[in-house]
Amino acid sequence: MDATEKAGAIESAQDDRSAAIRESLRSAIIDRRLAPGTKLTESEVGALFDASRTVARAALQMLAFEGLVKMERNRGAFVSSPSPEEARQVFASRRLIEPGIAIAAAARITSGDVEHFRRHLEDETTHMNERGPAARRAEIKASGDFHLMVASISGNQILKRFMEELIARSSLVIALYGRTGVSSCGHNEHADILDALERRDGEKAAHLMLHHIDHIEADLDFRTPEGLALRDALGI
């Protein structure tokens, strides 16, 4: 391997390491283990993952691009703490996008998709019947995953990527402002949406999706919870 190939291999390995760190931090943010406003220093992140500050910085920059982390000059990186107006914009964006996704999904859904959704709803029920922070985090993740599943069968990969960002930001907003401390994506509302999708009634699914998003936003009360320390949130 010549010098150029060696340099390329090193750079590729660093990129993979940054991506892995980004995924761990992203999960901790979305699952509410890291509260909005938590400081994420390059040195601490690097130490926790046995990586250089350069690799840690790249991971934080990826999260900043998604809007999950805010980089502040001379202060460092923090888990984003969306303002009430930003929170409203997230749900306004979902109202514009998700009804169309529901209509497209209704036209493409298969019996295999429906079975997959039914199993997912069973998992949601399990999380709803459990208690404690871990169960609440699992419920939020499962609720967000339902919306991503609808997007995944819509056939529009661009909108699916938009939804991944919106669901991530929604989880952050719910973590910061959720009245109940758990996801407000009502299990029964998910089941109703699925019923409409199964009947291939796109207009009904779109209407139910709008009502559902309204319900989620109505649960916000702009109170900020306390989160875990970085090490504890990552389980390291």
Side-chain angles (χ1 to χ4, degrees):
M1 181 182 294
D2 61 27
T4 300
E5 291 174 332
K6 185 175 181 180
I10 292 173
E11 183 177 354
S12 178
Q14 289 180 331
D15 289 344
D16 290 345
R17 189 66 176 141
S18 293
I21 294 172
R22 171 256 189 191
E23 283 302 315
S24 292
L25 290 172
R26 188 177 191 273
S27 294
I29 293 169
I30 293 173
D31 293 351
R32 302 176 68 249
R33 285 175 279 133
L34 281 174
T38 301
K39 186 173 178 61
L40 303 171
T41 65
E42 294 172 4
S43 58
E44 184 178 11
V45 171
L48 289 174
F49 288 95
D50 192 24
S52 69
R53 292 185 60 168
T54 299
V55 170
R57 183 183 308 117
L60 293 173
Q61 288 172 339
M62 293 178 193
L63 292 168
F65 180 77
E66 289 187 72
L68 297 181
V69 163
K70 183 176 182 181
M71 311 287 281
E72 297 186 9
R73 184 184 296 275
N74 299 324
R75 295 192 64 219
F78 299 83
V79 177
S80 291
S81 183
S83 67
E85 180 57 29
E86 290 170 332
R88 294 186 187 98
Q89 289 176 6
V90 167
F91 288 98
S93 298
R94 290 183 62 175
R95 286 189 187 89
L96 290 174
I97 292 175
E98 289 199 71
I101 287 176
I103 290 171
R108 295 172 54 90
I109 196 167
T110 67
S111 58
D113 293 329
V114 173
E115 297 237 351
H116 187 197
F117 273 105
R118 297 290 181 205
R119 290 194 296 271
H120 183 81
L121 291 181
E122 289 175 2
D123 290 339
E124 283 192 22
T125 299
T126 298
H127 298 316
M128 287 174 62
N129 291 333
E130 294 174 343
R131 295 290 181 268
R136 290 195 292 271
R137 290 195 297 268
E139 185 185 349
I140 286 178
K141 183 178 186 306
S143 295
D145 285 347
F146 176 89
H147 293 267
L148 293 178
M149 288 166 64
V150 176
S152 72
I153 64 172
S154 71
N156 190 318
Q157 293 302 307
I158 302 300
L159 286 180
K160 181 176 180 292
R161 287 198 289 272
F162 284 160
M163 279 303 301
E164 288 172 350
E165 178 177 341
L166 285 172
I167 292 300
R169 292 188 181 223
S170 294
S171 296
L172 193 60
V173 167
I174 292 169
L176 184 59
Y177 298 123
R179 193 189 313 274
T180 60
V182 297
S183 169
S184 298
C185 286
H187 177 72
N188 290 337
E189 293 176 6
H190 282 176
D192 291 342
I193 291 168
L194 178 56
D195 287 344
L197 292 175
E198 185 176 14
R199 295 194 306 270
R200 295 183 176 272
D201 188 344
E203 293 300 325
K204 181 66 173 179
H207 172 76
L208 290 171
M209 187 67 80
L210 278 174
H211 173 75
H212 182 47
I213 295 169
D214 287 342
H215 182 192
I216 300 171
E217 187 172 14
D219 192 59
L220 305 180
D221 71 355
F222 308 112
R223 282 186 274 192
T224 305
E226 293 183 4
L228 300 174
L230 179 58
R231 177 181 293 276
D232 294 334
L234 296 173
I236 295 175

